[in-house]
Amino acid sequence: MGNQEEMLIQKISEIYGDISNLPSLSPSKEVDMLFTELVLTCIPPVSTDVSKLSKEVQDMRCKLIKLCGEAEGLMESHYSDMLACYDNPLDHFDLFPYYSNYLKLSQLEYTLLERYVPSSPPTRVAFVGSGPLPLSSFVLAARHMQEAQLHNYDLDAAANARARLLVRGDPDMAARMEFHTADILGVTHALRGYDVVFLAALVGISHDDKVRVIEHLAHHMAPGAVLVARSAHGARAFLYPVVDPAADLRGFEVLTVHHPTDEVINSVIIARKPHGGHAAGAAVMRPCKCCEMMQGFHHFGQGSIMEEITLEELPS
């Protein structure tokens, strides 16, 4: 382990200790300060393979990810309740402190979809793990998939109840957004009806649970349907679970993997269920590496933009 990695792990361990001693993870000045410090510590690019760290550090990482997930859920519930007080909550999403990150992540995901799945725009989309403040679904529906029906799945009935309140002031959005309280492992036939399935980063916090969900999707999604899986890379893997494209995406053809280097935390994996031949086998990898200059897409009130996106293709 190099000196830089040692210093990083020491710093993260100290922050983990402070977070563990908090009386509550609900939004507060102290909670916000500690998690901001954690995120800023994990963002800089450090060559870290969490799978090769000591068992003690890996155990700490797993506990930290669970704490991050709990804090994220409480923060989203807090802001969802705040936004629900407005006549049209969708007009006030910029009150959420990380809204700009969701804009960038959704833009990245849709640009990758357009680049690697250049077919007709998706009309039926599922988002697994939507939560009480489903910003990703709202941004995709409003900015990138204006004709699509978006189905949001979450285990928590209270989270879905909060989310439904946010669309009540927008008839178009209310007509195109559905919310299902269900364990995705119990959803079978409905999965065949989606062109694209988004898998949230915190669905399946443990590696075994994550793989179980992916295998279920591979079995029940329609041939040709696309999976957009959020992952993490380097030190960012202390914040979110990692999806290994080569090992964890059995039953899919991996089209591209992108690891952001800016304030967007999640890596993005675009994979497709083949029409035949590989459904039960290991992930099929595209054998190229490239850097693409791709045109961004129209944002309401923002026009067209150009953005350079480095796409990391895994070798076969």
Side-chain angles (χ1 to χ4, degrees):
M1 184 186 299
N3 185 55
Q4 187 180 21
E5 188 178 54
E6 288 180 359
M7 292 175 62
L8 172 71
I9 292 173
Q10 181 180 350
K11 179 64 174 176
I12 292 174
S13 298
E14 291 173 358
I15 299 173
Y16 163 72
D18 291 338
I19 291 174
S20 299
N21 290 326
L22 289 170
S24 169
L25 294 177
S26 295
S28 68
K29 183 177 180 180
E30 187 175 14
V31 169
D32 295 346
M33 179 186 69
L34 283 172
F35 278 101
T36 297
E37 184 181 10
L38 176 63
V39 170
L40 292 176
T41 299
C42 294
I43 280 182
V46 177
S47 181
T48 301
D49 184 346
V50 294
S51 67
K52 297 180 180 179
L53 299 176
S54 69
K55 184 179 184 304
E56 180 182 5
V57 173
Q58 292 198 43
D59 288 345
M60 179 272 290
R61 170 182 169 263
C62 290
K63 293 175 183 176
L64 181 57
I65 290 174
K66 290 179 181 179
L67 290 172
C68 289
E70 182 180 348
E72 186 172 309
L74 290 168
M75 178 175 63
E76 289 187 359
S77 294
H78 171 78
Y79 279 95
S80 185
D81 291 342
M82 179 190 300
L83 290 164
C85 295
Y86 291 93
D87 291 336
N88 189 353
L90 303 186
D91 292 338
H92 303 278
F93 275 174
D94 56 353
L95 294 175
F96 186 69
Y98 300 105
Y99 181 53
S100 63
N101 288 28
Y102 281 89
L103 293 179
K104 292 178 180 179
L105 177 57
S106 296
Q107 176 177 333
L108 168 64
E109 289 172 329
Y110 192 70
T111 302
L112 292 171
L113 277 172
E114 283 197 318
R115 170 65 177 86
Y116 285 92
V117 193
S119 56
S120 58
T123 58
R124 287 179 56 83
V125 177
F127 197 98
V128 181
S130 48
L133 185 61
L135 286 171
S136 292
S137 290
F138 290 139
V139 171
L140 287 166
R143 294 172 177 259
H144 311 308
M145 300 178 177
Q146 290 95 338
E147 304 299 324
Q149 294 282 332
L150 279 86
H151 291 241
N152 300 277
Y153 288 86
D154 201 279
L155 282 169
D156 188 351
N160 280 331
R162 283 186 164 99
R164 287 189 187 96
L165 289 176
L166 300 179
V167 299
R168 72 185 189 281
D170 188 317
D172 172 70
M173 194 72 77
R176 293 195 293 122
M177 300 280 278
E178 294 192 24
F179 299 92
H180 307 277
T181 301
D183 183 342
I184 199 63
L185 294 177
V187 180
T188 55
H189 179 72
L191 287 172
R192 295 187 64 83
Y194 300 119
D195 306 311
V196 180
V197 176
F198 287 80
L199 181 61
L202 289 172
V203 174
I205 289 180
S206 75
H207 179 259
D208 289 346
D209 287 344
K210 180 76 74 176
V211 170
R212 191 175 299 114
V213 170
I214 292 171
E215 288 178 345
H216 179 80
L217 295 175
H219 183 68
H220 293 287
M221 286 170 58
V226 175
L227 174 67
V228 181
R230 293 177 179 176
S231 180
H233 182 69
R236 299 166 189 229
F238 283 93
L239 304 173
Y240 290 103
V242 173
V243 176
D244 183 338
D248 299 340
L249 287 167
R250 295 174 61 87
F252 288 98
E253 176 192 11
V254 177
L255 304 178
T256 188
V257 181
H258 176 68
H259 302 304
T261 57
D262 58 8
E263 65 271 21
V264 175
I265 304 299
N266 291 125
S267 298
V268 178
I269 303 170
I270 308 292
R272 178 169 49 205
K273 181 174 176 178
H275 284 278
H278 299 291
V284 179
M285 313 300 295
R286 283 284 184 93
C288 63
K289 177 175 287 189
C290 62
C291 177
E292 298 285 349
M293 178 70 77
M294 295 183 297
Q295 180 159 347
F297 26 81
H298 188 73
H299 285 225
F300 289 162
Q302 295 183 30
S304 297
I305 63 173
M306 292 294 291
E307 179 179 57
E308 183 175 348
I309 301 179
T310 302
L311 304 174
E312 289 194 24
E313 297 285 350
L314 299 183
S316 60

